[in-house]
Amino acid sequence: MNLEINGKNIEIVAGLKFIKKLDENYTIDQSGMKFGLGIQNAYVGLTTRNPLTLVELILCGQLKSKEKATVNEIEDYIESLDDLEPLFDDFLELLSTSSITKKQVEVTAEQFKKGLEQAN
């Protein structure tokens, strides 16, 4: 996936560095064991259409890109879009098809759906 942000061609890759960075940002400690929940948090943020999730995913996804955007450039880019839906959908598609993330997304989607059903 590629985005043009402030004249920079940003390559977004959902690989191991991406997961590692997301997990660093979203870790829980349970009985002394640490668990990364980056993909799970990203999925929920994307499905609930949280624009801050887009900022986070671009920051983490650009780690392998030759050109990189700053937080301010990413925020300005997102604010400049007339419609965020295609970007949310593109990230959901990326996470759902990457060999590194697709199983986590599948499991998270199931759990999220069950949680919504139980809430109703």
Side-chain angles (χ1 to χ4, degrees):
M1 178 173 153
N2 289 292
L3 300 173
E4 186 171 328
I5 300 174
N6 200 27
K8 299 174 185 175
N9 182 29
I10 309 297
E11 181 185 12
I12 305 296
V13 178
L16 292 174
K17 289 182 180 186
F18 173 79
I19 293 174
K20 183 178 179 182
K21 185 63 176 168
L22 281 175
D23 281 353
E24 285 173 7
N25 297 339
Y26 300 100
T27 302
I28 61 168
D29 188 327
Q30 191 170 25
S31 303
M33 294 174 57
K34 292 185 179 188
F35 297 94
L37 298 174
I39 296 298
Q40 293 83 350
N41 188 71
Y43 178 81
V44 172
L46 289 170
T47 56
T48 60
R49 300 311 204 228
N50 183 341
L52 294 176
T53 300
L54 295 173
V55 175
E56 185 91 40
L57 293 178
I58 294 170
L59 278 171
C60 295
Q62 72 175 352
L63 291 173
K64 293 181 86 173
S65 183
K66 291 178 184 174
E67 295 185 281
K68 294 183 177 39
T70 66
V71 173
N72 286 337
E73 289 173 327
I74 294 168
E75 289 173 349
D76 289 346
Y77 167 75
I78 290 170
E79 288 176 349
S80 75
L81 297 174
D82 291 331
D83 184 7
L84 297 179
E85 288 303 308
L87 192 55
F88 282 114
D89 292 341
D90 288 347
F91 269 106
L92 281 168
E93 176 72 18
L94 177 68
L95 296 179
S96 297
T97 58
S98 167
S99 63
I100 301 292
T101 58
K102 67 182 174 184
K103 187 61 179 177
Q104 282 182 296
V105 169
E106 184 181 306
V107 170
T108 301
E110 254 180 59
Q111 292 171 339
F112 188 66
K113 183 179 175 186
K114 285 180 186 176
L116 288 175
E117 288 171 354
Q118 290 174 356
N120 292 327

